[in-house]
Amino acid sequence: TMGVCVRSAMRMLVLQAAWALVGGQVRYSVPEEAKSGTVVGRLAQDLGVETGEMEARRLRLVPKGRPASVEVSGASGALVVSSRLDREELCGKSAPCMLGLEVLVERPLRVFHVELEVTDINDNAPLFPAARKNLSIAESLTLPGSRFPLEGASDADIGANAQLSYKLSPSEHFALQLQENEKYSESLFLVLSKTLDREAMAEHRLVLTASDGGRPSLSGTMELVISVLDVNDNAPQFNQSVYKVNLVEGAVERTPFIRVSATDPDDGINSQVLYKVNNVVPPSGRDLFVLEPGTGEMRLRGPLDYEDVRIFEIQVEATDRGMPPLSGHCKMVVEVLDVNDNAPEVWVTSLSVPVAEDAPLGTVVALLSVSDRDSGSNGRVRCTVWPSSPFGLVSTFEGSYSLVLREALDRERVSEYEVEVRAEDGGAPPLRARRALRVPVSDVNDNAPAFAQAVYTVLARENNAAGAELARVWARDPDEAGNGRVSYSLWEGASASGSRSASSYVSVDAESGRLWALQPLDYEELQVLQFEVRAVDAGEPSLSGNATVQLFVVDENDNAPSLLPPAGGGAGPWAVGAAGSPSSELSLSSSSSSSGWSLWAWASWGSPAGQVVAKIRAVDADSGYNAWLRYELEEARGKGAFRVGLYSGEVSTARALEEADGPRQTLLIVVRDHGEPARSATATLSVSLGEGAEAALAAGVGAASSGSVLRGSISGVEGGVSVSATTNVWLVVAICAVSSVFLLAVVLYGASRWSPRASVLSGPGPTTLVCASEVGSWSYSQRQSRSVCVAEGAGKSDLMVFSPNFPPPAGCAPKETPQDPTALLDTVSG
């Protein structure tokens, strides 16, 4: 492009030179900034100097004070550029820029005026006075349309190259305005097209560009720095409109738990914010929270209780320090989180007591209400009942339970229950509560009176006083009040005698159960009295129970022994010979010791020792020891010719009889019982002594005169040989029998001492009696279907049923004579 321009300029210079020559003056035109050596014009040719004359005529430029930027080429005579041509330096803003040159030619000497016009090229860009311009504009107060003058740019070029146009970098807030004036230069303004907001942009940086009209165009720029001055036009703004914070109840006081933050986009004091609490819902929370004004830090000032308030709403205000001050607001929501700090609570809303012991299963005893002020699992309550029986819990609906009967009740076993309802929440750790209930059980008459014993064995001594207490029966009824109040009555039962009812002998006290004797008892009349006592309670309906009472009359020694008549039934004294059976009749006074009948017996001289002469028969209406008889001679033993069997009553020779013993022996025999005190009877036995035939004859005469029946037979042989033989046979038999009885008694005595005492037989079957045979031994018989023998310690304190010396009843078997009668006694229990 530059080359095209240069060529165009050269053509113009040639044309101008030609025109100058024609006009008498040479004028050239050269663009500024032409390169050195550029031919401005053919000066020698235009001045008419031939090429060959150049050297002779010495064509040269005459300097005019400053060095010219052109020179004359000595070889061609052309005017060429010798140094840089800067139009702005040479002419400034003057136009056109004409340089006057004087050319000197010698031979002839001539001076030519040459004008050299330096034409402008666009080699200077517009230039602003400063690279940056700072402006300050107040936000919001400066209205759109406001103008701010700017200094325009300058361009050293001229003409179109100096014609400037301006352009502002894109901005929504600013625009350029160029105001033209015919007299003055153009005025440039920065116009505010939109209100400024410092908080949106505190500084605007724009670029103002000035472009000239050259081709190509050159431009210059200037930066506009626009600072927006702050105005308190912004209220503080919180970074959150709603703050949510969770606090556990029981949180430590004075501990900051949140910090609110509000920003004010203003500047300086307009942005300084203070915080305060405006309102708290509910109002009770106003004393629980404190807000630091400078930092916005919220602290807890009091204890939180989830059960009182679960959510607090706090209005917080932030205010700046501008004039006037502006404020912003936010809401703080404080949610209190539950802590398991409340134990469950159990209330008894209804209690139906006492509970009847016959109440059906499922009966509702109590209604319970359970609650826990905590929430969630902390407030979820599980209830149990202890002990687990006989009651249980049934959940009717949430928080409500029924205490119901699960098992049958028995007041007599448990009259009152201490029931504990236990509640436990689901917290970690769980909290527990207990509620104790007292559940009494009311009585139902479901128990009949029960005696302590099914059979009562009562011992009563005969001859007791009327009205004496015999015993006491007792029946227990576990029911209470009237259901357990027992009254006693006597039920008739068969007496031992079978003639009179029990109510004629005894009575029972209705309240105490004491048994009273209505009259004295006589053992000889009544040995056993059996009856029933009934116990009836006062319930509705009443229940009853029975007990059997066996009353045994204990014998007293109130009867003395009495002598029996002979077996033949005679009524007078009797005698017996050595070979006959005794036959006599005895009598016994009622006194403890009395004289009896006189007895007669006959014996032969020469009778050996042990010969039975007579037998004394006696009975005692009493029983046991009181009826156990012993026979004794009043004279000292060992001196007389006769002796008597201690228990058999047999009078026998103690030694062989001699004539020296005299014709008659008188024996005083005493029959005593074993009672306390002992009672006795006496008999006088007269024994006549003689020869054998005489004694036998006397015996027969005595027997016939008394009407006695002799049990033996008298052979009447001479010398008493047959009598002696018969006597020896009976003597051997008696000795063997006594020995056998003695051995058996020893064996039974030992067995009874080592065997356990037997109890009273109370069954329906008959019991055994201890009875005595004619020879004084012990045997058993079925007597009146029921009897007992007692041995509890010392022998004579034992109760014995002892048969008198009557012929033994059916079923009595002869036994050996005991050395100790207690060996054959059964023990009475009770």
Side-chain angles (χ1 to χ4, degrees):
T1 302
M2 186 62 73
V4 173
C5 294
V6 172
R7 285 195 295 272
S8 297
M10 293 298 295
R11 285 195 296 272
M12 291 178 64
L13 290 175
V14 171
L15 290 175
Q16 289 176 359
W19 176 80
L21 289 176
V22 174
Q25 188 175 8
V26 180
R27 178 178 293 180
Y28 295 103
S29 179
V30 62
E32 61 176 335
E33 304 297 338
K35 294 183 179 180
S36 179
T38 299
V39 177
V40 177
R42 295 175 182 177
L43 181 59
Q45 185 179 353
D46 292 337
L47 292 179
V49 180
E50 294 295 336
T51 305
E53 296 178 350
M54 288 294 293
E55 184 176 357
R57 297 190 66 178
R58 299 183 57 191
L59 181 61
R60 58 180 185 278
L61 291 176
V62 179
K64 288 188 176 182
R66 61 179 182 179
S69 298
V70 293
E71 64 182 5
V72 179
S73 174
S76 60
L79 185 62
V80 296
V81 177
S82 60
S83 60
R84 175 177 177 270
L85 288 173
D86 184 3
R87 194 202 67 79
E88 290 76 26
E89 182 181 352
L90 295 174
C91 301
K93 294 292 288 180
S94 298
C97 180
M98 301 299 292
L99 297 178
L101 302 175
E102 288 183 357
V103 179
L104 180 59
V105 180
E106 294 180 354
R107 295 178 184 169
L109 179 65
R110 289 188 65 185
V111 178
F112 293 93
H113 293 278
V114 178
E115 290 184 351
L116 179 60
E117 181 180 5
V118 180
T119 60
D120 184 51
I121 64 172
N122 193 22
D123 60 345
N124 289 282
L127 181 63
F128 285 96
R132 173 185 296 178
K133 182 173 179 63
N134 295 320
L135 296 176
S136 295
I137 303 175
E139 63 168 334
S140 71
L141 298 180
T142 304
L143 301 179
S146 300
R147 299 191 304 174
F148 302 93
L150 299 177
E151 294 181 6
S154 61
D155 195 327
D157 295 327
I158 60 175
N161 293 333
Q163 292 180 359
L164 302 179
S165 61
Y166 295 93
K167 182 180 180 181
L168 188 65
S169 59
S171 173
E172 60 177 340
H173 294 90
F174 295 98
L176 283 177
Q177 184 179 9
L178 185 65
Q179 185 177 1
E180 296 183 355
N181 195 313
E182 296 180 353
K183 295 183 179 181
Y184 305 103
S185 60
E186 296 176 343
S187 298
L188 186 62
F189 295 95
L190 181 65
V191 181
L192 181 66
S193 57
K194 183 180 179 180
T195 303
L196 296 177
D197 186 358
R198 192 200 69 80
E199 291 71 35
M201 184 175 293
E203 186 179 74
H204 296 264
R205 288 182 178 271
L206 304 178
V207 176
L208 179 62
T209 302
S211 300
D212 57 21
R215 292 181 180 277
S217 176
L218 299 178
S219 62
T221 60
M222 180 176 65
E223 182 180 23
L224 298 178
V225 179
I226 302 168
S227 298
V228 183
L229 300 178
D230 182 54
V231 174
N232 192 27
D233 58 347
N234 289 279
Q237 295 293 325
F238 287 93
N239 53 5
Q240 294 177 227
S241 60
V242 178
Y243 290 86
K244 292 184 178 180
V245 61
N246 296 330
L247 285 178
V248 295
E249 58 176 335
V252 180
E253 299 179 18
R254 308 304 300 174
T255 300
F257 58 89
I258 194 173
R259 173 176 290 180
V260 296
S261 177
T263 58
D264 192 326
D266 295 328
D267 192 20
I269 61 172
N270 295 332
S271 64
Q272 295 179 5
V273 179
L274 297 177
Y275 302 92
K276 68 177 181 178
V277 174
N278 273 351
N279 188 33
V280 179
V281 178
S284 59
R286 181 174 293 274
D287 297 332
L288 296 178
F289 304 98
V290 59
L291 183 64
E292 294 293 335
T295 62
E297 193 173 68
M298 183 74 78
R299 296 175 181 271
L300 189 63
R301 186 161 58 183
L304 298 176
D305 191 350
Y306 172 86
E307 289 69 39
D308 290 342
V309 181
R310 300 184 179 185
I311 294 179
F312 294 92
E313 293 186 3
I314 305 172
Q315 295 288 343
V316 179
E317 180 183 69
T319 305
D320 61 25
R321 293 185 177 183
M323 292 301 294
L326 301 178
S327 61
H329 301 83
C330 75
K331 178 186 288 186
M332 181 184 300
V333 178
V334 179
E335 183 175 356
V336 182
L337 300 181
D338 183 47
V339 173
N340 193 24
D341 57 346
N342 290 279
E345 295 180 333
V346 182
W347 295 279
V348 180
T349 58
S350 177
L351 182 61
S352 179
V353 294
V355 181
E357 62 177 324
D358 62 346
L361 301 184
T363 299
V364 177
V365 178
L367 296 178
L368 305 171
S369 178
V370 181
S371 67
D372 193 319
R373 296 180 64 194
D374 297 322
S375 65
S377 61
N378 295 333
R380 194 174 299 115
V381 182
R382 181 174 62 90
C383 287
T384 56
V385 61
W386 184 90
S388 57
S389 63
F391 302 101
L393 284 179
V394 176
S395 177
T396 54
F397 52 88
E398 185 177 2
S400 181
Y401 292 86
S402 296
L403 183 67
V404 299
L405 187 62
R406 289 281 178 83
E407 298 178 7
L409 299 177
D410 186 359
R411 191 205 66 82
E412 289 70 40
R413 184 174 60 89
V414 181
S415 61
E416 183 176 278
Y417 289 90
E418 291 292 337
V419 180
E420 187 175 82
V421 178
R422 298 176 176 180
E424 179 179 283
D425 60 27
L431 298 179
R432 300 174 179 86
R434 299 180 179 183
R435 173 70 65 179
L437 299 178
R438 177 179 166 270
V439 182
V441 181
S442 61
D443 184 54
V444 174
N445 191 25
D446 57 347
N447 291 277
F451 283 92
Q453 298 173 222
V455 177
Y456 286 85
T457 300
V458 179
L459 302 179
R461 293 189 177 275
E462 65 174 331
N463 304 319
N464 60 292
E469 181 178 342
L470 301 178
R472 179 178 181 181
V473 295
W474 178 72
R476 177 181 179 271
D477 192 328
D479 297 325
E480 66 177 355
N483 295 333
R485 188 167 58 250
V486 179
S487 61
Y488 304 91
S489 62
L490 189 67
W491 271 45
E492 294 297 337
S495 66
S497 65
S499 59
R500 300 175 65 182
S501 64
S503 60
S504 63
Y505 292 98
V506 294
S507 68
V508 61
D509 185 79
E511 293 185 359
S512 65
R514 289 184 171 89
L515 290 173
W516 308 96
L518 297 178
Q519 62 182 13
L521 299 176
D522 186 0
Y523 175 82
E524 287 71 35
E525 176 189 353
L526 177 67
Q527 289 79 40
V528 179
L529 180 64
Q530 179 172 304
F531 55 89
E532 288 189 353
V533 176
R534 167 163 286 191
V536 181
D537 61 24
E540 290 293 339
S542 61
L543 301 177
S544 63
N546 295 340
T548 300
V549 178
Q550 291 180 340
L551 176 62
F552 294 94
V553 180
V554 180
D555 182 50
E556 291 283 342
N557 193 22
D558 57 349
N559 290 283
S562 61
L563 298 175
L564 291 178
W574 58 273
V576 63
S581 298
S583 179
S584 179
E585 182 179 1
L586 303 178
S587 65
L588 180 64
S589 66
S590 59
S591 63
S592 61
S593 181
S594 63
S595 299
W597 294 87
S598 297
L599 305 179
W600 299 88
W602 305 87
S604 302
W605 288 323
S607 296
Q611 175 69 47
V612 176
V613 175
K615 179 169 179 143
I616 308 301
R617 285 164 49 89
V619 295
D620 195 320
D622 295 324
S623 178
Y625 278 101
N626 297 328
W628 186 21
L629 303 180
R630 66 180 183 270
Y631 302 88
E632 299 175 352
L633 290 175
E634 281 296 321
E635 61 186 29
R637 292 182 181 181
K639 294 181 180 181
F642 297 93
R643 63 185 178 186
V644 63
L646 181 62
Y647 296 107
S648 65
E650 292 178 342
V651 179
S652 61
T653 58
R655 54 180 173 77
L657 298 178
E658 300 174 355
E659 290 185 10
D661 292 324
R664 178 178 295 180
Q665 292 281 334
T666 301
L667 304 177
L668 182 60
I669 300 173
V670 180
V671 183
R672 289 189 179 90
D673 59 24
H674 285 72
E676 290 289 346
R679 291 178 180 270
S680 65
T682 61
T684 302
L685 177 61
S686 296
V687 181
S688 297
L689 302 179
E691 294 292 339
E694 182 182 355
L697 180 59
V701 173
S705 64
S706 62
S708 300
V709 179
L710 297 177
R711 295 184 179 182
S713 63
I714 303 175
S715 61
V717 294
E718 68 275 14
V721 175
S722 297
V723 175
S724 299
T726 303
T727 302
N728 292 335
V729 172
W730 282 103
L731 182 59
V732 172
V733 172
I735 293 174
C736 293
V738 171
S739 300
S740 300
V741 170
F742 175 74
L743 292 176
L744 181 59
V746 172
V747 173
L748 292 177
Y749 173 77
S752 64
R753 288 301 181 184
W754 288 99
S755 62
R757 300 290 185 178
S759 298
V760 175
L761 299 176
S762 59
T767 58
T768 59
L769 280 174
V770 180
C771 56
S773 68
E774 291 186 17
V775 295
S777 61
W778 296 88
S779 63
Y780 296 87
S781 69
Q782 307 293 328
R783 182 179 182 183
Q784 298 179 354
S785 301
R786 188 180 304 269
S787 185
V788 296
C789 295
V790 179
E792 296 180 351
K796 289 192 177 181
S797 65
D798 298 339
L799 173 62
M800 302 173 60
V801 178
F802 184 81
S803 174
N805 292 337
F806 289 116
C812 279
K815 301 293 180 178
E816 291 81 356
T817 301
Q819 298 303 312
D820 184 356
T822 60
L824 300 178
L825 299 181
D826 293 334
T827 304
V828 177
S829 64

